[in-house]
Amino acid sequence: MQSLAHYGLSASHGFLSPREIDEIALPPDFDAIEDAAAMLPDYLASGRVRHWLARLPTLDVTAFIADADDAEAGAAMLRYGFLAQAWVWGEAELIARLPANLAVPLVALADRLGLKPIMTYQHYVLDNWFRLDKADGIALGNLAIDQHFAGGRDESGFILVHVAIEAIAGRALEVAVDLVNAADTDDVARVESLLGALDSALGAINAGLEPMAAACDPHAYYTRVRPYMFGWPGEGLVYEGVEAFGGKPVALRGQTGSQSSIVPAIDAVLGVPHGSSALSAFLDEMHGYRPPRHRTFVEDLHASRVREVAARSPALRDAYNACLARLAHFRTAHLRLAATYISAQAATSGGDGETGTGGTPFLTYLARHRDDSRAAFL
């Protein structure tokens, strides 16, 4: 197994972008796009967001793409991803087309980055943050987000709790690489020690969920944050001006925590099986929404022999099962948060409390996730 750096990852950042977005400058050609992105909360509040976004120029991003690095292309796609979501979900009347001035650059940037042409978890969380004090760490209290929809404390809080967890998870990823390599060499003593380290790292990730209640009010989340995250499954959305799509609608999932690579990476290193089901098919689909290097990292972890080695002694089994217990705890906590922030809010508003932003029956899937973790105990 290669080092974290090989995959563009680190113990300090985990899957977060290694460059903070406030340090990335786009060329002057993007000024109108960046201005519109900054004005997005006001455009949405006007009730006429499409009126304002329709005025934007259709940029030819060919030269930019040829010269831009991943961070610069990612920052540009972040802007277009948010603008596209606002176009589709920012007014009461549903719409089944994305105008060429948004669609053409969005698709070109997505192709450059190996991503789906829609706002994903990569843009919503992993790229959308910066430290207030560059001399301090990546932690709540020292973080801000750069791009908003409606804006406000709750939207920022929701995103930043995820940013903080992603940074915390960097230690677990570092241990995961060492675990795979130790198991490959049948270094039983080191495997046991590293399982203990992974147990501690997963405990820190679990603790990272606790600030959510204070950071984001459930009602504010349901009414002001969540509405802009949905995708366009079913019949899909027409990307006007994109020749490769031939004028046919494209169906894509919305931004969802299932696109985070943390839990899939831990599943992979521990060898947690999910069987063949609608859930496993969804997980496979979400894998395609991750950045290419993140996908490769998770795929390489699937070669792990940790579960096989952990079955060799009671002490190893105990250490392994302790990690699974942490994983099940995380999934249980996530399930409870989803019930509080979505199902309970839908029950009082008459909304849909069963379909997640990824277009799935999220409570069923989250419960199955948890049960799979528990069933994997040795």
Side-chain angles (χ1 to χ4, degrees), residues 25-216:
L26 296 178
D29 288 352
F30 285 87
D31 284 353
I33 305 305
E34 294 210 89
D35 289 345
M39 286 293 295
L40 205 50
D42 298 291
Y43 288 163
L44 287 165
S46 77
R48 305 168 62 216
V49 65
R50 292 173 191 151
H51 167 80
W52 306 110
L53 298 185
R55 297 182 169 190
L56 292 174
T58 304
L59 294 189
D60 181 351
V61 297
T62 305
F64 169 76
I65 285 174
D67 294 333
D69 62 23
D70 284 356
E72 292 162 344
M77 187 173 175
L78 183 153
R79 304 299 183 206
Y80 276 105
F82 269 75
L83 295 176
Q85 295 292 133
W87 174 276
V88 174
W89 297 111
E91 297 185 23
E93 182 182 357
L94 296 180
I95 194 165
R97 63 177 185 84
L98 190 66
N101 65 337
L102 300 179
V104 173
L106 176 61
V107 171
L109 289 162
D111 288 346
R112 158 67 177 78
L113 293 165
L115 294 168
K116 305 290 186 183
I118 188 172
M119 183 192 76
T120 67
Y121 185 85
Q122 175 73 26
H123 314 111
Y124 193 64
V125 173
L126 300 180
D127 291 347
N128 190 21
W129 64 280
F130 62 93
R131 287 175 296 164
L132 298 169
D133 180 354
K134 302 301 185 185
D136 207 348
I138 305 171
L140 292 177
N142 191 41
L143 291 171
I145 68 168
D146 183 75
Q147 181 64 62
H148 299 78
F149 284 115
R153 172 185 177 277
D154 297 282
E155 183 180 17
S156 292
F158 178 77
I159 295 173
L160 291 178
V161 169
H162 286 82
V163 171
I165 290 173
E166 292 286 344
I168 292 168
R171 171 57 180 155
L173 304 183
E174 182 180 51
V175 174
V177 170
D178 291 342
L179 255 175
V180 169
N181 292 333
D184 280 348
T185 59
D186 286 313
D187 189 339
V188 174
R190 183 153 172 75
V191 167
E192 183 176 349
S193 174
L194 287 167
L195 284 170
L198 183 61
D199 181 16
S200 297
L202 293 177
I205 292 172
N206 287 341
L209 283 174
E210 294 173 5
M212 184 62 81
C216 180

